[in-house]
Amino acid sequence: MPNYEYEPKKDNKINPNAIIRISSAQFDATEGEDSLFDAFFETLAAETNTAPQLESNEESFEMTSEGEISVTDTRTDIKYLESAEGLPPWLTSVSFDNKEKGIVSIIRYGEMSHSFVIEEGVRHYSVYRTPYGPLEMCVRGIKVVNNMTENGGTIALDYAVELKGMTAQRTKMTFNVKKR
């Protein structure tokens, strides 16, 4: 298994220069894998901001946050803070190599931290750290659509999380970024 160790962030500081809208829908992946998200990607390809209709078995989440987008010659990094009731805010970083926009890395720093890579058609192993101990997981990329530029854009991800070789959950997630 590859080593996905990373240094935890000591602080959650960002330099806000963008508005980031995150939308996510999850469902039990055993209930039908291939057709549930087709409408989502067709909508994204048409470049509209209309969210697809959710299936009755999906759980969804949406949030808008100030964030930071930084672009160099080689890499794009999007950072924002998330929070949940009873927990301190945690930093999330979404990044990719500008020459390989179809490979997206997500790192969450905090009490329940993890880092993982989403690449269409590829399984990447990682570790999900919880207060109760680490949990090995595998993320299988199903679809990656990335039209992010230095001024913002959209990243759409469709992936399945596998635990002990069995698909546990399928997730569709979008990041809409507008630079200020």
Side-chain angles (χ1 to χ4, degrees):
M1 181 169 115
N3 184 2
Y4 286 101
E5 293 296 320
Y6 55 91
E7 286 295 317
K9 293 280 185 188
K10 302 284 186 222
D11 60 45
N12 288 337
K13 293 183 181 172
I14 59 172
N15 296 313
N17 66 358
I19 299 296
I20 302 170
R21 189 179 80 205
I22 301 102
S23 302
S24 178
Q26 297 86 29
F27 70 98
D28 181 354
T30 61
E31 294 181 20
E33 288 234 342
D34 294 323
S35 63
L36 287 177
F37 293 117
D38 291 343
F40 164 73
F41 285 104
E42 288 171 16
T43 300
L44 180 65
E47 295 191 33
T48 67
N49 287 327
T50 306
Q53 295 298 313
L54 295 176
E55 299 290 326
S56 61
N57 61 342
E58 292 181 358
E59 294 180 30
S60 65
F61 164 81
E62 189 167 315
M63 72 171 256
T64 300
S65 177
E66 284 191 319
E68 176 182 349
I69 181 170
S70 60
V71 180
T72 66
D73 289 340
T74 59
R75 195 143 193 88
T76 297
D77 192 32
I78 301 158
K79 297 176 186 172
Y80 60 94
L81 295 176
E82 290 184 75
S83 63
E85 191 173 320
L87 294 174
W90 62 90
L91 178 68
T92 299
S93 172
V94 179
S95 62
F96 57 90
D97 184 303
N98 293 333
K99 292 183 181 175
E100 297 186 52
K101 292 175 112 177
I103 304 172
V104 177
S105 299
I106 299 176
I107 300 174
R108 288 198 170 117
Y109 303 94
E111 188 174 328
M112 298 188 42
S113 62
H114 61 277
S115 65
F116 58 96
V117 176
I118 302 168
E119 179 179 5
E120 193 169 322
V122 178
R123 295 171 74 222
H124 288 277
Y125 290 91
S126 64
V127 176
Y128 185 53
R129 289 173 182 78
T130 74
Y132 310 105
L135 178 64
E136 183 179 310
M137 69 180 196
C138 175
V139 176
R140 180 173 50 89
I142 298 166
K143 185 102 173 157
V144 176
V145 178
N146 183 348
N147 66 15
M148 194 65 60
T149 69
E150 64 275 0
N151 295 316
T154 302
I155 299 174
L157 306 171
D158 182 357
Y159 60 95
V161 175
E162 301 172 2
L163 302 172
K164 298 195 180 251
M166 296 177 57
T167 302
Q169 177 177 295
R170 179 129 173 228
T171 300
K172 177 261 311 174
M173 181 176 281
T174 61
F175 299 90
N176 293 301
V177 179
K178 291 186 181 180
K179 191 168 184 178
R180 292 192 267 179

